[in-house]
Amino acid sequence: MTEYAIGIDLGGTAIKYAVVNRSGAIPFEGTMPTPATEGADAVIAALAKAINICKDWAADNGLHIPGAGIGTPGIVTPDGRRVIGAAENIAGWENVALADRLEQLCGIKVVASNDANAMGVGEWTFGAARGVRDAIFITVGTGIGSAALIDGHIWRGHYGRGMEVGHITVKCDGEGCACGGRGCLEHYASTAALVRRFAALTGKEADGREIVRLYHSGDPVAAKAMSEHWMYLGHGIASVINIFAPELVVVGGGISEAGPFYFERLRRVVGAQAMAECAANTRIVPAELGNSAGCLGAAALILHAAI
Ligand code: BGC
């Protein structure tokens, strides 16, 4: 029986990698920057490097690793082998034979899935959604991704092409999104959007962590940028609740680790906007596995043959 696998979470900013065991423990993990503007070959080389770092660690520790699961932005073919597209935050990440190329480079089995689906599987298998049958998972990072657990099954739409909640419209006359649409949730509520908004208001660069720190110190501009972030994200989540009436909405990604205040503000916006009847039994909770959910879910593709 497989005991350990590699889980990789490919983000628009960072590649997180981990060695994971069947019960969700992570004996080894690390992170490296994503060469997101350098094209698909550079990203594949970085992913291969991440897999090989994990393989080397496993070999040094006498562990057999049968495969690597990869959570990637974009739509992945249902067989888990190819990224079709819809991953605008990574240049050239379209029609990429991801599993084949990594198998050739690393010599182990590779299975890919959309990153938010991987996060959802991680939280369902090991985290906040254990034992739940209806949940929506939302990752907030460079992009916004989502997954749906419906009646105990991960639902991905016809040919796996659905659940792109980051690209639902929250502003009809809004700015153009990288996807080609206009006014998308991701364009207004991702961490990248928060960073962009703060820079536009101040002329200064700050990352999400710094903006949260400034918010706590009473900085009025950080407060404005955060309020807008909650407003857009909360409206997006309210729309999703009105459609799915899930038992849980699990929100992950780095910013979801900001603390309870983050969820209090988010719940306030959702509470004011969602239909009370649809939201009556819905709880909005942070990803229990924090930023590791993506790696854990990706490893579950191998360990539990999930999805
Ligand atoms: C992509 C999704 C992805 C999300 C998070 C979005 O821009 O369209 O497929 O899940 O970013 O990475």
Side-chain angles (χ1 to χ4, degrees):
M1 187 186 273
T2 301
E3 291 300 334
Y4 289 87
I6 295 168
I8 310 260
D9 184 10
L10 169 62
T13 308
I15 294 172
K16 296 180 215 78
Y17 51 88
V19 175
V20 175
N21 79 6
R22 286 189 77 79
S23 12
I26 301 180
F28 175 72
E29 65 186 327
T31 180
M32 64 171 70
T34 305
T37 55
E38 292 170 31
D41 288 348
V43 176
I44 290 197
L47 289 171
K49 188 172 167 196
I51 292 176
N52 286 330
I53 291 172
C54 293
K55 271 179 72 182
D56 290 348
W57 180 88
D60 288 348
N61 288 275
L63 301 178
H64 167 66
I65 299 272
I70 317 278
T72 167
I75 289 169
V76 177
T77 49
D79 61 5
R81 306 214 54 86
R82 180 177 285 272
V83 180
I84 298 170
E88 289 76 18
N89 295 314
I90 299 183
W93 208 235
E94 202 179 320
N95 205 15
V96 178
L98 184 58
D100 286 354
R101 291 191 61 186
L102 288 174
E103 282 178 359
Q104 277 155 18
L105 289 168
C106 304
I108 54 170
K109 177 181 166 187
V110 172
V111 179
S113 174
N114 170 269
D115 54 356
N117 276 326
M119 175 273 204
V121 167
E123 287 292 326
W124 184 33
T125 313
F126 303 114
R130 261 171 303 170
V132 165
R133 292 186 68 81
D134 292 290
I136 298 295
F137 305 89
I138 303 206
T139 59
V140 182
T142 313
I144 290 188
S146 67
L149 176 69
I150 298 181
D151 203 15
H153 297 280
I154 295 286
W155 180 86
R156 304 193 311 156
H158 192 51
Y159 277 95
R161 291 182 179 231
M163 280 316 287
E164 286 288 356
V165 165
H167 300 282
I168 62 173
T169 310
V170 289
K171 206 168 185 209
C172 290
D173 59 349
E175 292 170 8
C177 174
C179 74
R182 196 158 275 287
C184 295
L185 177 64
E186 168 174 310
H187 188 79
Y188 285 93
S190 60
T191 311
L194 173 68
V195 165
R196 201 173 50 238
R197 182 70 177 133
F198 184 80
L201 290 169
T202 60
K204 289 187 212 136
E205 297 218 339
D207 63 10
R209 196 181 294 269
E210 175 66 3
I211 297 170
V212 167
R213 195 192 63 72
L214 288 166
Y215 168 85
H216 282 307
S217 74
D219 180 288
V221 184
K224 181 174 166 58
M226 288 299 295
S227 290
E228 290 177 11
H229 169 80
W230 283 311
M231 180 187 73
Y232 286 116
L233 187 59
H235 278 73
I237 290 176
S239 296
V240 170
I241 290 175
N242 287 352
I243 298 169
F244 294 103
E247 182 180 344
L248 275 188
V249 175
V250 182
V251 181
I255 200 154
S256 70
E257 295 183 346
F261 78 97
Y262 182 87
F263 281 82
E264 278 156 29
R265 291 292 302 264
L266 191 58
R267 287 186 196 111
R268 237 188 275 166
V269 177
V270 177
Q273 178 65 19
M275 292 176 75
E277 295 81 355
C278 299
N281 301 309
T282 305
R283 285 177 298 128
I284 302 171
V285 299
E288 201 174 291
L289 310 170
N291 229 354
S292 305
C295 286
L296 284 161
L301 297 174
I302 301 288
L303 291 167
H304 299 268
I307 305 193

